[in-house]
Amino acid sequence: MSKIMSAADAAALIGDGDHVAVQSMGTQGIPMLMVRELIRQQRRDLTVTSVVAGIGIDWLSFKGVMSRFCGPIVSMERFGLCQGFRRGVQAGAINFEEYSETGILARLAAGARNLPFQITRGMIGTDIPALHPDTIRELADPFTGEIVLALRALRPDVCILHAHRGDERGNIQYGGGTIWPDVQIYPKACGRTIVTVEELITEDQTRANPQETVIPHFAVDAVVHAPSGCHPTSFFPGYVYDEAFHEEWVRVSRDPEQAIATIDRYCAADTQQQYLELIGEAALAATRNWRKLA
Amino acid sequence: MSKIMSAADAAALIGDGDHVAVQSMGTQGIPMLMVRELIRQQRRDLTVTSVVAGIGIDWLSFKGVMSRFCGPIVSMERFGLCQGFRRGVQAGAINFEEYSETGILARLAAGARNLPFQITRGMIGTDIPALHPDTIRELADPFTGEIVLALRALRPDVCILHAHRGDERGNIQYGGGTIWPDVQIYPKACGRTIVTVEELITEDQTRANPQETVIPHFAVDAVVHAPSGCHPTSFFPGYVYDEAFHEEWVRVSRDPEQAIATIDRYCAADTQQQYLELIGEAALAATRNWRKLA
Amino acid sequence: MTTPDYTVDELMVAALSRHLESADQVCNGAASFIPVCAFALARATHAPDLVWLAGAVGLDARPRRVPASTLEAPLWHRASMYMPQLEDFWSYALNGRWLTKFCVRGAQIDRYGNANNSVIGDDYHHPKVRLPGSAGLGDMGSIGKRLLYWTTTHNPRTLVERVDFVTCAGWLRGGDERERLGLAGGPEVVVSDLAVMDFHPRSKRMRLRSVHPGVTVEQVVEATGFDLVIDGDVPETEPPTDEQVRLIREEIDPDGARRREFA
Amino acid sequence: MTTPDYTVDELMVAALSRHLESADQVCNGAASFIPVCAFALARATHAPDLVWLAGAVGLDARPRRVPASTLEAPLWHRASMYMPQLEDFWSYALNGRWLTKFCVRGAQIDRYGNANNSVIGDDYHHPKVRLPGSAGLGDMGSIGKRLLYWTTTHNPRTLVERVDFVTCAGWLRGGDERERLGLAGGPEVVVSDLAVMDFHPRSKRMRLRSVHPGVTVEQVVEATGFDLVIDGDVPETEPPTDEQVRLIREEIDPDGARRREFA
């Protein structure tokens, strides 16, 4: 039975109130097709976990899809703070459950391995542990008595990832660049796994390059075809982030009305193809020009 | 300053009494050039850690180089038990500090990350934890009270690995097949790292395929050129294990005198080139024929 | 009576394969020829979607035939993934949702399904025989796996009252001891060269379920180092069908690697 | 007096580069243009073997020039390794032997070198300004790193008596508090757009070490939200040499990405 499905069908695997881990590295690798689909389907009250959240979280914030963010940072890097998220937190509409990077990764690693907790030396001395008495505890090393921090296992309901290739069984391949932690840890820690891919391939093509497979089919529930699926963020080596798009977003996102109108305009696209047409070939071509940035 | 050196110079990084982590997966990937060099230099009282120890540990056992093995298993897979090791343990000359796989990996993972311990659910209910009161303790999850096992950090003095390619700065590349845990964890957990490689490459060649680099130069102390360096064990995709060599070893290793004479004969080779001449081109050609086994 | 057209190795392969379903994911360890044949047979017959991680590395491998080693690259020919052990294999194995069945061959298996692959003798530190060691067994018995045992040496040295050392946690000392330690899973079946056993639901003692064609209950009792639970009449183990035998001999294991287990 | 042929960004790059040696390994995070320029300058001058992990990913990267982002693939052009974050980067960072210095820019830095990148305001849950969050800072201050601070906004809002929230552990409340918690490393230097500071060895209070050419001690005192330790005469910060300026402008950062930090 093929796991290839539409973004709409994949989004149906996510319910109101779910905890959703979303791949994100600032201006890189955000599965925006699924972000838009969650907005289109008017999901509510999601908790989102990302390693470095970016524009996707800002859109979910403006549209009231997300009520809690659980992770280390929300930032569009050179494009600055996410204004919708910032406003949401400042207004009390969004709760930011803040951890350091080793903190959130330890929680996910424990979830991935069905261990009750993992430890870190990160955050000791900071004000972060005191925020989370239910998920961070001091723990004495049973051998030396030294104090470390125990991070409670986190098992989000579902995760959304983006990768280079996927086949109908659900095998997912990565084709270059570094492997972000999202890809390695979310499918194990999360209850369901949705992966948008640049390219659909056959199982035979998967078998021709087994060393590029990074998620086994048995850990994948949905494969969604999404060429340029991270636009306006980058996905190495295919395309860089859309600089003009981000700059325009920085401008409009100062005003919630303009921000929401912008989001709605892009979310009106029923398919990835329609979305790419909205963006236009000139803008897409610019994102394929690494030299501009390198 | 180039890190490329002879096996003899690399072995000088290992002292009597050291704890040495040696790459090994049964009949696969054992850095035999360095095993022979440790025998040639008459190292004594080594503790060896491997994931699945094989013929290399048997040779070290027969020659009195190793007095302790710390790991989950010693076996030549289809070729059976390592007789020198078995005799050594039964005679009380070698101590087998036995852990499960998650047990030894948890100890190394803690050492790699400078954490005092890591936890596992493995070994609960078995007789293994009671063997190691100094390195395995029951620990209550601070959140739920559930009991798991804490494994104390292990930081061997030095490790010996084998890889496909290395450059003079010490960058190490893998070129196909699966990544065994040895390669990923020993360089971080161990004080010094020695890597034998099939091929020496330039730093420019390394930069041409950065996604194949698996150990950064700063974690590597010695790079030793060793074509067919795992013979008689296999190293994918270059060569399979030498079936005839292993079968002959099974035969002679029943008798310690014959076993030692065999080891001495191969250890008399001063260089990898001389060793390969002793093995002979016909035998080496046979190991390059995967079809024979597949 | 005609001579049956199968051998005991083929019978064992077929018997083990019956305990595998399409929804399962399984992996194999070293020198595991009978399980590897059983996985292939299950995939070729009643469990086409059974996921097999060859050598705990090669996902859905398609070796041309069972090779001479079950822990070398020829086994994971045409795999769709080479699974890294450290981060991937052990995460999926520990997770609890996947790889829920595991086949175990112990040098000793006791009446409660504990297995020993460590030492023979009373003194661990001065053993009569030093066995290879735990490998993954020390984990697989403790992390919720449903354990399927096989052995080609059904005799009182293999099937013992109490293992000399618990390398792999079975039902421990029976009853609810395993449950009290919070361990899920546990031993479900033992396929030997003489019979098929399971474990009594309450006492967790090993129970005779069927004897292979041509073997008597008395022979099995004689060959077992403890009292097997015997509930009423013991049926004969279902023999492999002609088609199963053909698949094993012609498609799966034409070299007869499975017979290495009877050395 | 002639107008000096450098700008403050170049002065800061040169000042920061002096704290890097050939034996160091460094990585950079997001929007870290001054550190990235300082790493390149150090490598081009006194610290040729300095190891730089671009964006915590690209080992010994050789970007053609500093790009518009310090966390995107153009930065790790021609790297010799793409370091996986989960297993590799964090292991090497936590290990203690490698990556021992880390450059930090905090929205607030206090007199004891604690940094805040989380919230402005007294109530964490109802902040006046929600800042981006900890990212790796919450780790780097606690795992033995020697912290090198930089800021392009030396004013009382950035350099505060006490941070509103300790995102990154500095010398905590001074003295031996850090040591008592078992934390190695700690803040060593603060390079601002006005001056260079370090920390008093015993009290761990921030201490004025030099003022940039054209800046007076009084101006620095005025721009600082707490009393800086001042030990005797305060020298002038050594300006960048002509060759350093040339390298920065022509070789390292011809697009002037470093000036993005002064937006």
Side-chain angles (χ1 to χ4, degrees), chain D residues 190-226:
Chain D
V190 181
V191 174
S192 81
D193 49 332
L194 299 181
V196 175
M197 281 74 67
D198 68 0
F199 295 85
H200 186 277
R202 261 208 302 281
S203 73
K204 309 300 189 195
R205 288 191 180 185
M206 201 184 291
R207 177 169 71 176
L208 186 59
R209 293 298 288 180
S210 68
V211 292
H212 297 345
V215 177
T216 65
V217 170
E218 288 66 35
Q219 283 176 304
V220 174
V221 166
E222 190 78 12
T224 306
F226 54 88

mmCIF file of all heavy atoms in Angstrom, chain D residues 190-226:
data_model
loop_
_atom_site.group_PDB
_atom_site.id
_atom_site.type_symbol
_atom_site.label_atom_id
_atom_site.label_comp_id
_atom_site.label_asym_id
_atom_site.label_seq_id
_atom_site.Cartn_x
_atom_site.Cartn_y
_atom_site.Cartn_z
ATOM 1 N N VAL D 190 35.172 40.745 26.717
ATOM 2 C CA VAL D 190 34.036 41.351 26.032
ATOM 3 C C VAL D 190 34.605 42.396 25.075
ATOM 4 O O VAL D 190 35.280 43.330 25.516
ATOM 5 C CB VAL D 190 33.060 42.041 27.017
ATOM 6 C CG1 VAL D 190 31.872 42.642 26.257
ATOM 7 C CG2 VAL D 190 32.592 41.080 28.095
ATOM 8 N N VAL D 191 34.384 42.184 23.800
ATOM 9 C CA VAL D 191 34.823 43.161 22.802
ATOM 10 C C VAL D 191 33.584 43.934 22.360
ATOM 11 O O VAL D 191 32.671 43.351 21.781
ATOM 12 C CB VAL D 191 35.488 42.468 21.597
ATOM 13 C CG1 VAL D 191 35.806 43.497 20.512
ATOM 14 C CG2 VAL D 191 36.754 41.727 22.032
ATOM 15 N N SER D 192 33.545 45.232 22.677
ATOM 16 C CA SER D 192 32.386 46.041 22.289
ATOM 17 C C SER D 192 32.799 47.060 21.242
ATOM 18 O O SER D 192 33.963 47.119 20.828
ATOM 19 C CB SER D 192 31.794 46.740 23.517
ATOM 20 O OG SER D 192 32.550 47.919 23.805
ATOM 21 N N ASP D 193 31.835 47.868 20.840
ATOM 22 C CA ASP D 193 32.143 48.923 19.872
ATOM 23 C C ASP D 193 32.863 50.105 20.524
ATOM 24 O O ASP D 193 33.281 51.028 19.834
ATOM 25 C CB ASP D 193 30.862 49.391 19.165
ATOM 26 C CG ASP D 193 29.741 49.703 20.147
ATOM 27 O OD1 ASP D 193 29.713 49.108 21.254
ATOM 28 O OD2 ASP D 193 28.891 50.537 19.811
ATOM 29 N N LEU D 194 33.017 50.061 21.868
ATOM 30 C CA LEU D 194 33.711 51.165 22.547
ATOM 31 C C LEU D 194 35.002 50.739 23.230
ATOM 32 O O LEU D 194 35.915 51.550 23.391
ATOM 33 C CB LEU D 194 32.791 51.778 23.625
ATOM 34 C CG LEU D 194 31.468 52.398 23.164
ATOM 35 C CD1 LEU D 194 30.723 52.964 24.365
ATOM 36 C CD2 LEU D 194 31.716 53.488 22.111
ATOM 37 N N ALA D 195 35.079 49.469 23.642
ATOM 38 C CA ALA D 195 36.170 49.093 24.540
ATOM 39 C C ALA D 195 36.359 47.585 24.553
ATOM 40 O O ALA D 195 35.581 46.838 23.953
ATOM 41 C CB ALA D 195 35.840 49.583 25.957
ATOM 42 N N VAL D 196 37.412 47.174 25.262
ATOM 43 C CA VAL D 196 37.625 45.751 25.528
ATOM 44 C C VAL D 196 37.619 45.562 27.044
ATOM 45 O O VAL D 196 38.297 46.306 27.770
ATOM 46 C CB VAL D 196 38.954 45.254 24.923
ATOM 47 C CG1 VAL D 196 39.213 43.793 25.314
ATOM 48 C CG2 VAL D 196 38.950 45.408 23.405
ATOM 49 N N MET D 197 36.848 44.592 27.504
ATOM 50 C CA MET D 197 36.758 44.307 28.931
ATOM 51 C C MET D 197 37.199 42.865 29.192
ATOM 52 O O MET D 197 37.113 42.013 28.314
ATOM 53 C CB MET D 197 35.308 44.470 29.426
ATOM 54 C CG MET D 197 34.831 45.886 29.665
ATOM 55 S SD MET D 197 34.480 46.845 28.160
ATOM 56 C CE MET D 197 33.080 45.989 27.487
ATOM 57 N N ASP D 198 37.643 42.611 30.435
ATOM 58 C CA ASP D 198 37.768 41.214 30.863
ATOM 59 C C ASP D 198 37.122 41.111 32.245
ATOM 60 O O ASP D 198 36.278 41.940 32.583
ATOM 61 C CB ASP D 198 39.221 40.730 30.805
ATOM 62 C CG ASP D 198 40.113 41.396 31.837
ATOM 63 O OD1 ASP D 198 39.601 42.253 32.607
ATOM 64 O OD2 ASP D 198 41.308 41.085 31.882
ATOM 65 N N PHE D 199 37.500 40.108 33.018
ATOM 66 C CA PHE D 199 36.849 39.907 34.320
ATOM 67 C C PHE D 199 37.910 39.802 35.403
ATOM 68 O O PHE D 199 38.943 39.136 35.217
ATOM 69 C CB PHE D 199 35.956 38.658 34.273
ATOM 70 C CG PHE D 199 34.814 38.825 33.311
ATOM 71 C CD1 PHE D 199 34.978 38.543 31.952
ATOM 72 C CD2 PHE D 199 33.593 39.327 33.737
ATOM 73 C CE1 PHE D 199 33.941 38.725 31.045
ATOM 74 C CE2 PHE D 199 32.545 39.517 32.832
ATOM 75 C CZ PHE D 199 32.720 39.216 31.501
ATOM 76 N N HIS D 200 37.672 40.480 36.494
ATOM 77 C CA HIS D 200 38.640 40.459 37.594
ATOM 78 C C HIS D 200 38.820 39.020 38.079
ATOM 79 O O HIS D 200 37.833 38.315 38.317
ATOM 80 C CB HIS D 200 38.136 41.348 38.745
ATOM 81 C CG HIS D 200 39.135 41.485 39.845
ATOM 82 N ND1 HIS D 200 39.283 40.552 40.854
ATOM 83 C CD2 HIS D 200 40.063 42.447 40.094
ATOM 84 C CE1 HIS D 200 40.232 40.934 41.667
ATOM 85 N NE2 HIS D 200 40.739 42.093 41.229
ATOM 86 N N PRO D 201 40.064 38.583 38.229
ATOM 87 C CA PRO D 201 40.312 37.165 38.523
ATOM 88 C C PRO D 201 39.601 36.655 39.775
ATOM 89 O O PRO D 201 39.189 35.504 39.818
ATOM 90 C CB PRO D 201 41.827 37.094 38.717
ATOM 91 C CG PRO D 201 42.392 38.341 38.142
ATOM 92 C CD PRO D 201 41.303 39.373 38.116
ATOM 93 N N ARG D 202 39.469 37.501 40.787
ATOM 94 C CA ARG D 202 38.825 37.009 42.012
ATOM 95 C C ARG D 202 37.339 37.335 42.066
ATOM 96 O O ARG D 202 36.508 36.454 42.221
ATOM 97 C CB ARG D 202 39.534 37.556 43.246
ATOM 98 C CG ARG D 202 40.511 36.532 43.842
ATOM 99 C CD ARG D 202 40.688 36.723 45.342
ATOM 100 N NE ARG D 202 41.171 38.073 45.661
ATOM 101 C CZ ARG D 202 42.441 38.468 45.540
ATOM 102 N NH1 ARG D 202 43.359 37.621 45.115
ATOM 103 N NH2 ARG D 202 42.797 39.693 45.850
ATOM 104 N N SER D 203 37.025 38.603 41.921
ATOM 105 C CA SER D 203 35.613 38.984 42.070
ATOM 106 C C SER D 203 34.781 38.586 40.860
ATOM 107 O O SER D 203 33.575 38.451 40.946
ATOM 108 C CB SER D 203 35.501 40.500 42.273
ATOM 109 O OG SER D 203 35.772 41.178 41.042
ATOM 110 N N LYS D 204 35.441 38.388 39.702
ATOM 111 C CA LYS D 204 34.759 38.072 38.435
ATOM 112 C C LYS D 204 33.878 39.217 37.947
ATOM 113 O O LYS D 204 32.965 38.993 37.140
ATOM 114 C CB LYS D 204 33.919 36.784 38.538
ATOM 115 C CG LYS D 204 34.665 35.583 39.100
ATOM 116 C CD LYS D 204 35.867 35.184 38.276
ATOM 117 C CE LYS D 204 36.417 33.849 38.776
ATOM 118 N NZ LYS D 204 37.773 33.610 38.232
ATOM 119 N N ARG D 205 34.163 40.423 38.453
ATOM 120 C CA ARG D 205 33.440 41.569 37.906
ATOM 121 C C ARG D 205 34.090 42.030 36.615
ATOM 122 O O ARG D 205 35.315 41.929 36.447
ATOM 123 C CB ARG D 205 33.483 42.726 38.892
ATOM 124 C CG ARG D 205 32.621 42.484 40.100
ATOM 125 C CD ARG D 205 32.523 43.773 40.874
ATOM 126 N NE ARG D 205 31.698 43.591 42.053
ATOM 127 C CZ ARG D 205 31.379 44.580 42.857
ATOM 128 N NH1 ARG D 205 31.818 45.816 42.610
ATOM 129 N NH2 ARG D 205 30.617 44.359 43.915
ATOM 130 N N MET D 206 33.275 42.570 35.740
ATOM 131 C CA MET D 206 33.798 43.019 34.454
ATOM 132 C C MET D 206 34.754 44.205 34.672
ATOM 133 O O MET D 206 34.468 45.108 35.457
ATOM 134 C CB MET D 206 32.653 43.406 33.518
ATOM 135 C CG MET D 206 33.065 43.385 32.035
ATOM 136 S SD MET D 206 31.755 43.962 30.933
ATOM 137 C CE MET D 206 30.556 42.634 31.083
ATOM 138 N N ARG D 207 35.865 44.171 33.967
ATOM 139 C CA ARG D 207 36.955 45.123 34.177
ATOM 140 C C ARG D 207 37.325 45.745 32.838
ATOM 141 O O ARG D 207 37.465 45.048 31.837
ATOM 142 C CB ARG D 207 38.142 44.354 34.758
ATOM 143 C CG ARG D 207 39.396 45.146 34.980
ATOM 144 C CD ARG D 207 40.394 44.339 35.793
ATOM 145 N NE ARG D 207 40.965 43.236 35.016
ATOM 146 C CZ ARG D 207 41.929 42.416 35.469
ATOM 147 N NH1 ARG D 207 42.413 42.571 36.706
ATOM 148 N NH2 ARG D 207 42.386 41.451 34.717
ATOM 149 N N LEU D 208 37.518 47.025 32.846
ATOM 150 C CA LEU D 208 37.880 47.728 31.605
ATOM 151 C C LEU D 208 39.356 47.490 31.300
ATOM 152 O O LEU D 208 40.221 47.775 32.126
ATOM 153 C CB LEU D 208 37.601 49.227 31.769
ATOM 154 C CG LEU D 208 37.782 50.093 30.518
ATOM 155 C CD1 LEU D 208 36.872 49.638 29.388
ATOM 156 C CD2 LEU D 208 37.505 51.561 30.860
ATOM 157 N N ARG D 209 39.650 46.986 30.124
ATOM 158 C CA ARG D 209 41.039 46.684 29.769
ATOM 159 C C ARG D 209 41.612 47.702 28.798
ATOM 160 O O ARG D 209 42.800 48.017 28.846
ATOM 161 C CB ARG D 209 41.145 45.295 29.134
ATOM 162 C CG ARG D 209 40.842 44.192 30.085
ATOM 163 C CD ARG D 209 41.799 44.138 31.242
ATOM 164 N NE ARG D 209 43.125 43.660 30.834
ATOM 165 C CZ ARG D 209 44.169 43.506 31.646
ATOM 166 N NH1 ARG D 209 44.064 43.847 32.924
ATOM 167 N NH2 ARG D 209 45.314 43.060 31.205
ATOM 168 N N SER D 210 40.804 48.176 27.875
ATOM 169 C CA SER D 210 41.291 49.181 26.927
ATOM 170 C C SER D 210 40.092 49.891 26.318
ATOM 171 O O SER D 210 38.999 49.313 26.237
ATOM 172 C CB SER D 210 42.154 48.547 25.817
ATOM 173 O OG SER D 210 41.375 47.727 24.978
ATOM 174 N N VAL D 211 40.315 51.131 25.938
ATOM 175 C CA VAL D 211 39.262 51.865 25.231
ATOM 176 C C VAL D 211 39.712 52.046 23.788
ATOM 177 O O VAL D 211 40.906 52.186 23.507
ATOM 178 C CB VAL D 211 38.960 53.230 25.886
ATOM 179 C CG1 VAL D 211 38.317 53.017 27.248
ATOM 180 C CG2 VAL D 211 40.225 54.051 26.007
ATOM 181 N N HIS D 212 38.750 51.994 22.893
ATOM 182 C CA HIS D 212 39.105 52.098 21.482
ATOM 183 C C HIS D 212 39.624 53.499 21.184
ATOM 184 O O HIS D 212 39.200 54.479 21.839
ATOM 185 C CB HIS D 212 37.893 51.784 20.597
ATOM 186 C CG HIS D 212 37.386 50.392 20.752
ATOM 187 N ND1 HIS D 212 38.096 49.383 21.370
ATOM 188 C CD2 HIS D 212 36.208 49.821 20.343
ATOM 189 C CE1 HIS D 212 37.394 48.266 21.345
ATOM 190 N NE2 HIS D 212 36.243 48.509 20.731
ATOM 191 N N PRO D 213 40.510 53.639 20.229
ATOM 192 C CA PRO D 213 41.035 54.958 19.873
ATOM 193 C C PRO D 213 39.896 55.942 19.617
ATOM 194 O O PRO D 213 38.950 55.626 18.891
ATOM 195 C CB PRO D 213 41.845 54.687 18.603
ATOM 196 C CG PRO D 213 42.264 53.261 18.726
ATOM 197 C CD PRO D 213 41.127 52.570 19.427
ATOM 198 N N GLY D 214 39.985 57.117 20.273
ATOM 199 C CA GLY D 214 38.948 58.127 20.085
ATOM 200 C C GLY D 214 37.836 58.051 21.114
ATOM 201 O O GLY D 214 36.959 58.911 21.156
ATOM 202 N N VAL D 215 37.841 56.974 21.940
ATOM 203 C CA VAL D 215 36.822 56.820 22.974
ATOM 204 C C VAL D 215 37.488 57.098 24.325
ATOM 205 O O VAL D 215 38.624 56.672 24.554
ATOM 206 C CB VAL D 215 36.238 55.395 22.964
ATOM 207 C CG1 VAL D 215 35.233 55.217 24.083
ATOM 208 C CG2 VAL D 215 35.628 55.089 21.601
ATOM 209 N N THR D 216 36.791 57.812 25.223
ATOM 210 C CA THR D 216 37.372 58.084 26.539
ATOM 211 C C THR D 216 36.840 57.075 27.556
ATOM 212 O O THR D 216 35.788 56.443 27.358
ATOM 213 C CB THR D 216 36.990 59.491 27.038
ATOM 214 O OG1 THR D 216 35.574 59.513 27.244
ATOM 215 C CG2 THR D 216 37.389 60.561 26.022
ATOM 216 N N VAL D 217 37.581 56.923 28.650
ATOM 217 C CA VAL D 217 37.135 56.062 29.746
ATOM 218 C C VAL D 217 35.774 56.539 30.247
ATOM 219 O O VAL D 217 34.880 55.737 30.536
ATOM 220 C CB VAL D 217 38.185 56.055 30.881
ATOM 221 C CG1 VAL D 217 37.633 55.360 32.123
ATOM 222 C CG2 VAL D 217 39.476 55.383 30.418
ATOM 223 N N GLU D 218 35.621 57.859 30.309
ATOM 224 C CA GLU D 218 34.355 58.420 30.811
ATOM 225 C C GLU D 218 33.185 57.988 29.921
ATOM 226 O O GLU D 218 32.112 57.642 30.410
ATOM 227 C CB GLU D 218 34.418 59.950 30.867
ATOM 228 C CG GLU D 218 35.315 60.487 31.973
ATOM 229 C CD GLU D 218 36.800 60.147 31.774
ATOM 230 O OE1 GLU D 218 37.270 60.123 30.599
ATOM 231 O OE2 GLU D 218 37.481 59.853 32.778
ATOM 232 N N GLN D 219 33.403 58.017 28.621
ATOM 233 C CA GLN D 219 32.342 57.600 27.700
ATOM 234 C C GLN D 219 31.952 56.137 27.947
ATOM 235 O O GLN D 219 30.776 55.789 27.907
ATOM 236 C CB GLN D 219 32.801 57.770 26.242
ATOM 237 C CG GLN D 219 32.768 59.220 25.759
ATOM 238 C CD GLN D 219 33.334 59.339 24.345
ATOM 239 O OE1 GLN D 219 34.473 58.917 24.101
ATOM 240 N NE2 GLN D 219 32.555 59.911 23.440
ATOM 241 N N VAL D 220 32.943 55.300 28.192
ATOM 242 C CA VAL D 220 32.657 53.878 28.420
ATOM 243 C C VAL D 220 31.896 53.703 29.732
ATOM 244 O O VAL D 220 30.895 52.975 29.798
ATOM 245 C CB VAL D 220 33.964 53.047 28.428
ATOM 246 C CG1 VAL D 220 33.674 51.602 28.801
ATOM 247 C CG2 VAL D 220 34.661 53.131 27.078
ATOM 248 N N VAL D 221 32.357 54.387 30.766
ATOM 249 C CA VAL D 221 31.687 54.315 32.066
ATOM 250 C C VAL D 221 30.229 54.741 31.923
ATOM 251 O O VAL D 221 29.301 54.095 32.439
ATOM 252 C CB VAL D 221 32.438 55.190 33.095
ATOM 253 C CG1 VAL D 221 31.581 55.418 34.341
ATOM 254 C CG2 VAL D 221 33.768 54.548 33.448
ATOM 255 N N GLU D 222 30.028 55.810 31.198
ATOM 256 C CA GLU D 222 28.688 56.355 30.950
ATOM 257 C C GLU D 222 27.791 55.353 30.213
ATOM 258 O O GLU D 222 26.593 55.250 30.487
ATOM 259 C CB GLU D 222 28.856 57.613 30.069
ATOM 260 C CG GLU D 222 27.621 58.456 29.908
ATOM 261 C CD GLU D 222 27.369 59.311 31.143
ATOM 262 O OE1 GLU D 222 28.295 59.391 32.010
ATOM 263 O OE2 GLU D 222 26.280 59.859 31.249
ATOM 264 N N ALA D 223 28.410 54.611 29.283
ATOM 265 C CA ALA D 223 27.645 53.710 28.421
ATOM 266 C C ALA D 223 27.407 52.344 29.066
ATOM 267 O O ALA D 223 26.818 51.458 28.445
ATOM 268 C CB ALA D 223 28.369 53.539 27.087
ATOM 269 N N THR D 224 27.908 52.167 30.289
ATOM 270 C CA THR D 224 27.823 50.862 30.938
ATOM 271 C C THR D 224 26.841 50.936 32.097
ATOM 272 O O THR D 224 26.885 51.880 32.887
ATOM 273 C CB THR D 224 29.220 50.437 31.447
ATOM 274 O OG1 THR D 224 30.145 50.490 30.352
ATOM 275 C CG2 THR D 224 29.201 49.032 32.026
ATOM 276 N N GLY D 225 25.970 49.938 32.195
ATOM 277 C CA GLY D 225 24.890 49.963 33.183
ATOM 278 C C GLY D 225 25.306 49.557 34.576
ATOM 279 O O GLY D 225 24.452 49.299 35.423
ATOM 280 N N PHE D 226 26.591 49.433 34.821
ATOM 281 C CA PHE D 226 27.086 49.059 36.160
ATOM 282 C C PHE D 226 28.499 49.615 36.278
ATOM 283 O O PHE D 226 29.072 50.112 35.297
ATOM 284 C CB PHE D 226 27.079 47.544 36.350
ATOM 285 C CG PHE D 226 27.820 46.811 35.263
ATOM 286 C CD1 PHE D 226 29.202 46.571 35.342
ATOM 287 C CD2 PHE D 226 27.141 46.371 34.128
ATOM 288 C CE1 PHE D 226 29.871 45.907 34.328
ATOM 289 C CE2 PHE D 226 27.821 45.709 33.096
ATOM 290 C CZ PHE D 226 29.186 45.474 33.197
#
